[in-house]
Amino acid sequence: MDDFMRAAIEEARQGLAEGGIPIGSVIVHRGHIIGRGHNRRVQQGSAILHGEMDAFENAGRQPASVYAESVLYTTLSPCAMCSGAILLYKIPRIIVGENRTFMGEEDLLRARGVQVDVLQDEDCIAMMREFIAARPKLWNEDIGT
Amino acid sequence: MDDFMRAAIEEARQGLAEGGIPIGSVIVHRGHIIGRGHNRRVQQGSAILHGEMDAFENAGRQPASVYAESVLYTTLSPCAMCSGAILLYKIPRIIVGENRTFMGEEDLLRARGVQVDVLQDEDCIAMMREFIAARPKLWNEDIGT
């Protein structure tokens, strides 16, 4: 595994340690992390700070030229909201830890030209499986079901 | 115009008065506003707080049953990110002030079963036309171009 997915997993684990939902993300521009984050639904009572959204927010205001050269890493297949942010900012490539526990909008992203690589990483899968089994109601809230 | 679009326009004007981008939104559940907000890119240095996202955030954590009975009002056609949030939370209906100055993901929303009503409100159109003419670079940043 490369260092960037490792960093996204670290974010997810930090979220879990905070009592939150274990999903993390980093945005990488020309080989450097410019934004990193994790789901903060529990920690901040937030309806919008999924891991990827938190990474976008922490990357700050960026010009289109930076997004155009960036890769987004996320431990879990991105939901409609996070996929929409990826489309808004025209991120050309994302690397996804796994989509076994939740299938996001990968088809939509690919249809719009985003390269989507899925690792099916065992650590990512185990982390989400354990979390969903332990906190099903919280998980359903996070994905709007 | 109904009171809810009026409230969304008030939000947009408040954003403009703060030096920000004039887009506002309210989320209405059973006839009551449960969340209202406006674009905060300038005010908070935010890459994710579009008007609709701010309204979702200010509505707080809600169960799916509340979103399922809600209507989202926005002064401008929603971008991919905000449309994604609408899809994530399965908002069944949105009312859009105008789409003349920016066409968002209305086709995607309709394809997924969301009722999208567009008012083409002259105040909303004028507000955005003036803003885009005055601050084209800031506007382009907000829509990722």
Side-chain angles (χ1 to χ4, degrees), chain A residues 5-27:
Chain A
M5 184 54 75
R6 210 179 310 273
I9 293 174
E10 280 168 19
E11 286 288 331
R13 290 195 170 128
Q14 187 183 331
L16 191 65
E18 293 164 359
I21 300 171
I23 304 170
S25 178
V26 301
I27 299 172

Side-chain angles (χ1 to χ4, degrees), chain B:
Chain B
M1 185 190 307
D2 76 19
D3 287 346
F4 300 128
M5 183 54 74
R6 210 179 309 273
I9 293 174
E10 279 168 19
E11 286 289 331
R13 290 196 170 128
Q14 187 182 332
L16 191 65
E18 293 165 358
I21 300 171
I23 305 170
S25 177
V26 301
I27 299 172
V28 176
H29 177 249
R30 295 187 177 178
H32 298 280
I33 294 176
I34 60 169
R36 54 191 296 158
H38 53 268
N39 188 300
R40 296 180 194 270
R41 175 172 295 272
V42 172
Q43 298 93 319
Q44 294 191 21
S46 175
I48 66 171
L49 286 173
H50 278 190
E52 301 91 323
M53 303 299 289
D54 196 40
F56 273 115
E57 188 68 333
N58 290 331
R61 293 170 54 182
Q62 298 289 344
S65 58
V66 168
Y67 294 122
E69 296 182 325
S70 294
V71 179
L72 183 144
Y73 289 71
T74 176
T75 57
L76 183 65
S77 186
C79 81
M81 173 174 68
C82 299
S83 295
I86 290 161
L87 292 175
L88 170 65
Y89 289 123
K90 302 180 185 69
I91 301 290
R93 185 183 180 202
I94 71 169
I95 298 177
V96 174
E98 62 105 356
N99 63 16
R100 294 266 169 82
T101 66
F102 175 79
M103 176 55 85
E105 294 279 353
E106 295 178 14
D107 287 349
L108 176 65
L109 290 169
R110 288 195 181 98
R112 300 287 182 96
V114 179
Q115 181 182 341
V116 180
D117 297 327
V118 183
L119 305 182
Q120 304 300 17
D121 176 78
E122 292 300 331
D123 287 345
C124 291
I125 295 169
M127 190 163 53
M128 278 309 292
R129 281 214 173 118
E130 287 165 26
F131 172 75
I132 293 169
R135 308 289 303 276
K137 195 173 162 193
L138 175 58
W139 174 236
N140 282 336
E141 181 193 312
D142 200 53
I143 53 173
T145 58

Side-chain angles (χ1 to χ4, degrees), chain A residues 67-71 86 89-94 113-116:
Chain A
Y67 294 122
E69 296 182 325
S70 293
V71 179
I86 289 161
Y89 289 123
K90 303 180 185 68
I91 302 290
R93 184 183 181 204
I94 71 169
V114 179
Q115 181 183 340
V116 180

